Amino acid sequence: MDRYRIKPGHKVRLDRFDPADTSAFDGDKARGQKRLLKLSEKLADLQELLWAGQRHRLLIVLQGMDTAGKDGTIRHVFGYVNPQGCRVANFKVPTLTELAHDYLWRVHQQVPGAGELVIFNRSHYEDVLVVRVHGLVPPAVWKKRYDHINAFEKLLADTGTTVLKFFLHISKEEQRQRLQERLDDKQKNWKFNVGDLAERKLWSKYVEAYQDALSKTSTPWAPWIVVPSDHKWYRNLVIAHHVTRALRKLNMAFPPAAPDLENVVVR
Amino acid sequence: MDRYRIKPGHKVRLDRFDPADTSAFDGDKARGQKRLLKLSEKLADLQELLWAGQRHRLLIVLQGMDTAGKDGTIRHVFGYVNPQGCRVANFKVPTLTELAHDYLWRVHQQVPGAGELVIFNRSHYEDVLVVRVHGLVPPAVWKKRYDHINAFEKLLADTGTTVLKFFLHISKEEQRQRLQERLDDKQKNWKFNVGDLAERKLWSKYVEAYQDALSKTSTPWAPWIVVPSDHKWYRNLVIAHHVTRALRKLNMAFPPAAPDLENVVVR
């Protein structure tokens, strides 16, 4: 699973990552789903420790093209986690008040507090992705942002936050099929957004923007993981693996009792 | 299940509610747990519709004595709900900034937005409970609050929020056992708070404060439900029942597709 983690300084070319890859798991979809169930239970246990300890913090960043599976990841990987201590932050088109501040202002407000697991469904990376592709600010402005972002994430890491960033990597053909399904399946109609078709035409510009972002902001303190996401079961497995491993590394235990409680009897 | 809902204007006496009651379910613990699993799945489906629709809002208020099971309710009743669109708000001792404002200020900030299901783990009711029992403000101040609270919840209801308030009702003996268990079980030690013993001594004052709150603030637009909570499985069942029923009543369906999408083909 380590092969998907981008080494700091590595120049990423997305065509070298197969979106349909399933090679880090020795088994098929059915076995993969069983394994995910086990990992989900483990993840729920670890999150209980995280919340009980009120000490460490975990930030998960999810990025990817439209239909890459950000929502599905939240539902399937984090579906068993206790809502207490787990929070999802969505970053949509900024409000007027948000635009009146620097672009990390609204993001900083949403970072996890003690014991929290927070999932960013899209994130500050949109400020070097959609903003760049649509030319919402000049290159001189967005080019400075990689350094800002690295410094911001360093602050989070230095003050006790584990940061994991997942790029959900799908092929252009896979996106076509998923968009078509949203049109054809009445239950999925509401997910279809006409704007998605216009964004799809900018696919290669997005690839370029993602490659730069992944290359410039995969740091020792906040690594990017490129997740092959054409197969949803495999995507879930890769993410669950990295999240549980990061939590295990914290070596958490239930907090000790307050002192002098040994002989207390409740009346 | 309707028997637990407090009629507006009814003067509540908690000793008329048996905390160990299980009479509204025709079955034992094992059957109750099976039923809960079904209800949990139904609840997860309904919450998906709620989030998809981005129109209705649901606010769940959980109150109860220490150890009554607020955390357990969140884990077991809402454990399968998608973290996307579901949020838990905890109200602890107010910060200096919070104290610099009226007592509903911090509460208003946490109410659900469109499509959200928000659980209040403790709430603005602490301002007529702990605040009253400990005399943190004079009676003339807290007595005005019932009207404020009713008006505040009316605002929420009038603007599209369904409000359900659950009082988790346990016996004093059940609390004794649960506190003792937290002392005796190493895995639960961390949940034990020495302050809980001091609060326990104020049991009858809390009963009085709860009775007043339940009597004065169970309204047509934001009813209180007194949940027999000595049996955890039954507590979960009663709450899951009322929450799913409230969501069903909204008659939600997946939002329709945007117009003119019928013949679109994705390329």
Side-chain angles (χ1 to χ4, degrees):
Chain A
M1 293 281 183
D2 271 341
R3 70 189 82 175
Y4 304 127
R5 187 176 162 133
I6 305 299
K7 289 196 187 72
H10 179 76
K11 188 123 182 54
V12 176
R13 285 196 45 183
L14 283 175
D15 57 7
R16 300 224 175 119
F17 289 87
D18 177 7
D21 182 21
T22 61
S23 64
F25 180 69
D26 183 24
D28 58 2
K29 180 175 172 178
R31 278 197 54 209
Q33 286 172 329
K34 268 193 199 162
R35 175 86 188 117
L36 180 67
L37 196 64
K38 293 246 173 205
L39 278 173
S40 301
E41 285 164 9
K42 185 74 201 159
L43 178 57
D45 288 347
L46 286 162
Q47 186 256 346
E48 195 185 353
L49 284 173
L50 182 74
W51 181 245
Q54 292 283 307
R55 188 172 151 228
H56 301 287
R57 307 153 178 155
L58 178 59
L59 174 60
I60 308 285
V61 172
L62 298 181
Q63 285 286 161
M65 304 280 196
D66 293 328
T67 77
K70 297 179 289 293
D71 292 346
T73 296
I74 295 172
R75 168 178 295 268
H76 295 290
V77 178
F78 300 95
Y80 290 124
V81 161
N82 189 345
Q84 177 105 275
C86 177
R87 183 160 57 82
V88 179
N90 290 284
F91 296 96
K92 308 226 161 148
V93 178
T95 65
L96 286 176
T97 309
E98 287 168 352
L99 283 172
H101 297 81
D102 71 82
Y103 67 99
L104 292 176
W105 180 78
R106 64 171 183 163
V107 176
H108 208 159
Q109 292 177 27
Q110 299 287 349
V111 300
E116 267 195 317
L117 186 171
V118 170
I119 303 160
F120 279 6
N121 187 354
R122 302 193 183 270
S123 67
H124 43 300
Y125 284 95
E126 293 297 336
D127 292 292
V128 290
L129 294 165
V130 64
V131 165
R132 165 179 172 173
V133 169
H134 287 274
L136 302 182
V137 300
V141 172
W142 59 253
K143 280 184 179 168
K144 281 186 189 167
R145 293 184 172 174
Y146 304 110
D147 286 345
H148 301 157
I149 289 173
N150 287 337
F152 171 62
E153 292 174 354
K154 184 78 162 55
L155 166 73
L156 300 181
D158 282 351
T159 52
T161 302
T162 301
V163 183
L164 288 178
K165 303 179 294 197
F166 296 97
F167 170 65
L168 278 48
H169 183 37
I170 55 168
S171 66
K172 197 174 177 189
E173 167 58 19
E174 180 68 23
Q175 188 191 57
R176 189 193 62 72
Q177 288 178 29
R178 292 186 186 180
L179 285 173
Q180 192 65 54
E181 210 180 309
R182 289 185 180 180
L183 282 166
D184 298 342
D185 180 344
K186 288 260 173 258
Q187 290 250 331
K188 293 184 176 174
N189 267 192
W190 64 278
K191 288 187 187 172
F192 189 87
N193 186 329
V194 190
D196 293 351
L197 293 179
E199 292 302 289
R200 178 169 167 78
K201 290 193 179 136
L202 300 166
W203 182 274
S204 61
K205 299 238 179 239
Y206 273 106
V207 168
E208 212 177 318
Y210 264 114
Q211 288 182 157
D212 273 353
L214 295 169
S215 304
K216 290 173 197 287
T217 63
S218 198
T219 55
W221 57 85
W224 275 106
I225 294 136
V226 174
V227 184
S229 299
D230 275 4
H231 298 290
K232 293 172 184 174
W233 66 270
Y234 190 71
R235 169 201 77 201
N236 294 339
L237 214 51
V238 171
I239 295 173
H241 169 87
H242 280 93
V243 174
T244 49
R245 195 174 61 169
L247 283 172
R248 267 201 206 98
K249 274 191 187 167
L250 297 174
N251 284 319
M252 298 177 290
F254 281 110
D260 308 324
L261 283 184
E262 263 173 46
N263 299 310
V264 172
V265 174
V266 183
R267 285 173 215 286
Chain B
M1 293 282 182
D2 271 341
R3 69 189 82 173
Y4 304 127
R5 188 176 161 132
I6 305 300
K7 291 197 186 72
H10 179 74
K11 187 124 182 54
V12 175
R13 286 197 44 183
L14 283 175
D15 56 8
R16 301 225 174 118
F17 289 87
D18 177 7
D21 182 22
T22 62
S23 63
F25 180 69
D26 183 25
D28 58 1
K29 180 174 171 178
R31 278 197 53 211
Q33 287 172 328
K34 267 193 199 164
R35 175 86 187 116
L36 180 67
L37 196 64
K38 291 244 175 206
L39 278 173
S40 302
E41 285 165 8
K42 185 74 200 158
L43 177 57
D45 288 347
L46 285 162
Q47 186 256 346
E48 195 185 354
L49 283 172
L50 183 75
W51 182 244
Q54 293 284 307
R55 187 174 151 226
H56 301 287
R57 307 152 179 155
L58 178 58
L59 174 61
I60 308 285
V61 172
L62 298 181
Q63 284 288 159
M65 304 280 197
D66 292 328
T67 77
K70 298 179 288 295
D71 292 346
T73 296
I74 295 170
R75 169 179 293 267
H76 296 290
V77 178
F78 300 95
Y80 290 124
V81 161
N82 190 346
Q84 176 105 275
C86 177
R87 182 160 57 83
V88 180
N90 290 283
F91 296 96
K92 307 228 160 147
V93 178
T95 65
L96 287 176
T97 309
E98 288 168 352
L99 283 172
H101 297 81
D102 71 83
Y103 67 98
L104 291 176
W105 179 78
R106 65 172 183 163
V107 176
H108 209 158
Q109 291 177 28
Q110 298 288 346
V111 301
E116 267 195 316
L117 187 170
V118 170
I119 302 159
F120 280 6
N121 187 353
R122 302 192 183 272
S123 66
H124 43 302
Y125 284 95
E126 293 298 334
D127 292 292
V128 290
L129 294 165
V130 65
V131 164
R132 165 180 173 172
V133 169
H134 286 275
L136 301 182
V137 302
V141 172
W142 58 254
K143 280 185 179 168
K144 281 186 189 165
R145 292 184 173 175
Y146 304 110
D147 286 345
H148 302 156
I149 290 173
N150 286 338
F152 171 63
E153 291 174 355
K154 184 77 160 57
L155 166 73
L156 299 182
D158 282 352
T159 51
T161 302
T162 300
V163 183
L164 289 178
K165 303 180 294 196
F166 296 98
F167 170 65
L168 279 47
H169 183 36
I170 55 167
S171 65
K172 199 175 174 188
E173 168 57 19
E174 180 68 22
Q175 188 191 58
R176 189 193 63 72
Q177 288 177 29
R178 292 187 186 180
L179 285 173
Q180 192 65 54
E181 210 180 310
R182 288 186 181 179
L183 282 166
D184 298 343
D185 180 342
K186 289 259 172 260
Q187 290 248 332
K188 293 184 176 174
N189 269 190
W190 65 278
K191 289 187 186 173
F192 189 88
N193 185 330
V194 190
D196 293 350
L197 293 179
E199 292 301 289
R200 178 169 166 80
K201 290 194 179 134
L202 299 167
W203 183 275
S204 61
K205 299 235 180 243
Y206 273 107
V207 168
E208 213 178 317
Y210 265 114
Q211 288 183 156
D212 273 354
L214 296 169
S215 304
K216 289 173 197 288
T217 63
S218 198
T219 54
W221 57 85
W224 274 107
I225 294 137
V226 174
V227 184
S229 299
D230 275 5
H231 298 291
K232 294 172 183 173
W233 66 270
Y234 190 71
R235 169 200 77 201
N236 293 339
L237 214 51
V238 172
I239 295 172
H241 169 87
H242 281 94
V243 174
T244 49
R245 196 174 60 169
L247 284 172
R248 267 202 206 97
K249 274 192 186 165
L250 297 174
N251 284 320
M252 297 178 290
F254 281 110
D260 309 323
L261 284 183
E262 263 172 48
N263 299 311
V264 172
V265 175
V266 183
R267 285 175 215 285

